[in-house]
C-alpha cells in the first residue's frame, strides 16, 4: 500500500511538472514568434524538428532497459553487473549522440536543398546547434537512475529549472532587443551544458553511493556480446524498433509540413501544436 501511494504521489508530481513545463515553453514560444515573426520562427521550428526526428530514429530506449536491469542486479547484489549496465548505457547514448551531431548537419543540408527555397541559417550556426546536442547523452541514464531512487521531485524540478532558465533568458533577450535565431542557438548550447553538468553530477553521486566507479565511457571494453547483459541488449534492440516508428510519427509532422508549405505556415502550426499539448496534457 505504501509503495502504491508513493507511485501515485510521484505520478502527480510528474504530471504537474510536465504541465508547468509545457506552459512555460509555450510562453517562451510566444515571445520568440512575436520577435522573430512567423517565418523566422518556422525556420527555428524546422531546425529543431530535423534534429529531434533523427534523434528518435537512431536513438535507443536505454531508459527502460537500464531501469529494469539495474533493479534486477540490485536484487542479486551484483555490483559488477551494475557497473557494466551503466557504462554500457552511457556509451551507447554517447555513440548515438555523436552520430546525431554529424548526421544532423548532413540532413539539414539535404532538407534545405530539396524542401526549402533558402537556407534555414548559416552553416556555422547549424554546426553550433548540432554541438548543443552533445551534452544530452546523459539524459537517459539520469532519468533511469533518478527513477530508481524514486526521486520524483528531482525528476520534476530539474526539467522545470531548465525550462525556467530558458524563459528568463528569452525574456531578457526580448527586452534588450537581442532575441534572434543566433541568440536562440547560442542559448540552447548554454542551457544544454547546464543540464548536462547537473546530470553528470547526479549520476556520479549515485554511483558513489552504490560503491561503483565514477562515470566512464568505455568504447573498447563495451561488452557487446557479454552473456551477462544479453537480456539488456535484447531489450535495447526491441525498444529501438518500436521507439523509432512511434517517435518518427510524432516528430516528423513539422518536416512534412515544411516540405509542402512555407516557413510561415510551419511557425503557426508549431505554436498551435504547443498549445494543443497544454490542452491534451491532463488526458495524456
Amino acid at each position: 500500500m505504501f509503495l502504491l501511494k508513493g507511485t501515485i504521489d510521484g505520478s502527480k508530481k510528474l504530471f504537474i511538472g510536465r504541465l508547468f513545463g509545457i506552459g512555460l515553453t509555450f510562453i517562451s514560444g510566444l515571445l520568440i514568434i512575436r520577435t522573430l515573426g512567423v517565418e523566422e520562427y518556422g525556420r527555428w521550428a524546422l531546425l529543431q524538428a530535423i534534429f529531434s526526428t533523427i534523434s528518435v530514429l537512431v536513438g535507443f530506449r536505454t531508459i527502460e532497459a537500464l531501469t529494469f536491469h539495474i533493479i534486477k542486479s540490485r536484487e542479486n547484489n551484483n555490483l559488477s553487473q551494475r557497473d557494466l549496465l551503466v557504462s554500457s548505457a552511457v556509451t551507447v547514448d554517447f555513440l548515438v549522440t555523436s552520430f546525431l551531431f554529424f548526421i544532423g548537419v548532413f540532413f539539414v543540408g539535404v532538407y534545405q536543398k530539396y524542401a526549402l527555397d533558402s537556407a534555414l541559417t548559416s552553416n556555422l550556426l547549424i554546426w553550433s546547434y548540432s554541438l548543443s546536442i552533445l551534452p544530452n547523452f546523459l539524459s537517459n541514464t539520469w532519468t533511469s537512475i533518478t527513477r530508481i531512487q524514486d526521486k520524483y521531485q528531482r525528476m520534476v524540478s530539474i526539467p522545470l529549472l531548465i525550462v525556467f532558465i530558458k524563459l528568463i533568458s528569452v525574456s531578457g533577450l526580448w527586452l534588450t532587443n537581442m532575441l534572434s535565431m543566433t541568440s536562440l542557438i547560442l542559448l540552447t548550447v548554454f542551457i544544454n551544458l547546464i543540464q548536462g553538468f547537473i546530470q553528470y553530477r547526479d549520476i556520479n553521486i549515485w554511483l558513489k553511493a552504490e560503491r561503483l566507479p565514477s562515470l566512464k565511457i568505455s568504447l573498447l571494453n563495451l561488452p557487446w556480446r557479454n552473456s551477462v547483459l544479453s537480456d539488456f541488449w535484447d531489450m535495447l534492440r526491441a525498444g529501438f524498433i518500436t521507439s523509432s516508428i512511434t517517435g518518427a510519427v510524432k516528430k516528423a509532422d513539422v518536416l512534412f509540413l515544411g516540405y509542402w508549405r512555407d516557413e510561415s505556415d510551419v511557425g503557426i502550426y508549431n505554436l498551435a501544436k504547443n498549445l494543443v499539448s497544454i490542452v491534451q496534457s491532463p488526458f495524456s
Side-chain angles (χ1 to χ4, degrees):
M1 182 64 70
F2 177 77
L3 180 62
L4 179 61
K5 184 178 183 301
T7 302
I8 294 174
D9 290 342
S11 299
K12 289 179 181 177
K13 291 177 182 178
L14 291 175
F15 165 73
I16 294 172
R18 181 169 177 268
L19 191 62
F20 270 98
I22 294 174
L24 293 177
T25 301
F26 181 73
I27 295 173
S28 296
L30 286 177
L31 292 176
I32 293 171
I33 196 172
R34 178 174 179 177
T35 305
L36 300 185
V38 289
E39 184 175 348
E40 191 74 3
Y41 179 69
R43 292 176 182 273
W44 171 242
L46 282 170
L47 182 63
Q48 292 178 302
I50 288 172
F51 280 90
S52 61
T53 301
I54 299 174
S55 177
V56 298
L57 286 175
V58 302
F60 287 85
R61 294 285 300 177
T62 52
I63 296 176
E64 288 80 5
L66 184 60
T67 302
F68 175 80
H69 285 91
I70 284 182
I71 292 175
K72 191 175 179 180
S73 70
R74 269 182 160 183
E75 294 173 352
N76 300 329
N77 197 26
N78 193 332
L79 283 176
S80 60
Q81 185 184 38
R82 220 171 306 160
D83 181 34
L84 282 175
L85 285 167
V86 174
S87 61
S88 298
V90 169
T91 304
V92 167
D93 286 331
F94 176 77
L95 291 173
V96 168
T97 307
S98 300
F99 176 72
L100 178 61
F101 171 73
F102 293 104
I103 197 66
V105 174
F106 170 77
F107 192 76
V108 169
V110 172
Y111 189 82
Q112 288 179 149
K113 182 177 180 179
Y114 294 102
L116 303 177
D117 296 328
S118 59
L120 291 174
T121 185
S122 68
N123 289 333
L124 178 61
L125 288 178
I126 292 172
W127 277 103
S128 298
Y129 185 83
S130 184
L131 182 65
S132 73
I133 305 298
L134 292 178
N136 292 338
F137 79 94
L138 291 175
S139 293
N140 288 341
T141 301
W142 180 84
T143 301
S144 294
I145 289 173
T146 309
R147 183 183 292 176
I148 289 166
Q149 298 175 91
D150 292 331
K151 290 188 174 181
Y152 293 104
Q153 189 168 344
R154 189 73 174 171
M155 292 178 67
V156 171
S157 61
I158 297 304
L160 268 182
L161 173 65
I162 297 301
V163 173
F164 183 72
I165 291 174
K166 180 181 179 181
L167 176 59
I168 294 299
S169 301
V170 168
S171 301
L173 292 170
W174 175 67
L175 290 172
T176 56
N177 296 317
M178 295 176 64
L179 188 57
S180 63
M181 178 81 88
T182 301
S183 61
L184 281 175
I185 290 175
L186 295 177
L187 177 61
T188 302
V189 175
F190 173 70
I191 288 177
N192 285 357
L193 284 172
I194 292 176
Q195 181 172 281
F197 173 78
I198 293 173
Q199 292 172 346
Y200 176 81
R201 178 180 174 274
D202 284 356
I203 292 171
N204 273 311
I205 289 175
W206 179 81
L207 289 172
K208 185 176 181 180
E210 293 284 310
R211 294 178 287 118
L212 295 173
S214 298
L215 189 65
K216 61 180 180 292
I217 298 172
S218 180
L219 297 177
L220 297 177
N221 299 321
L222 192 64
W224 297 103
R225 298 182 180 181
N226 192 310
S227 59
V228 177
L229 300 186
S230 58
D231 291 343
F232 173 74
W233 294 117
D234 289 343
M235 194 169 178
L236 278 187
R237 284 190 288 269
F240 174 77
I241 298 172
T242 55
S243 65
S244 295
I245 296 173
T246 56
V249 171
K250 292 180 180 179
K251 300 288 185 180
D253 53 343
V254 175
L255 298 183
F256 284 115
L257 183 64
Y259 182 81
W260 296 107
R261 308 289 296 183
D262 59 28
E263 289 88 338
S264 298
D265 292 332
V266 173
I268 295 172
Y269 173 80
N270 195 63
L271 188 67
K273 184 179 179 181
N274 291 337
L275 179 59
V276 170
S277 297
I278 299 176
V279 177
Q280 288 181 337
S281 192
F283 310 102
S284 60

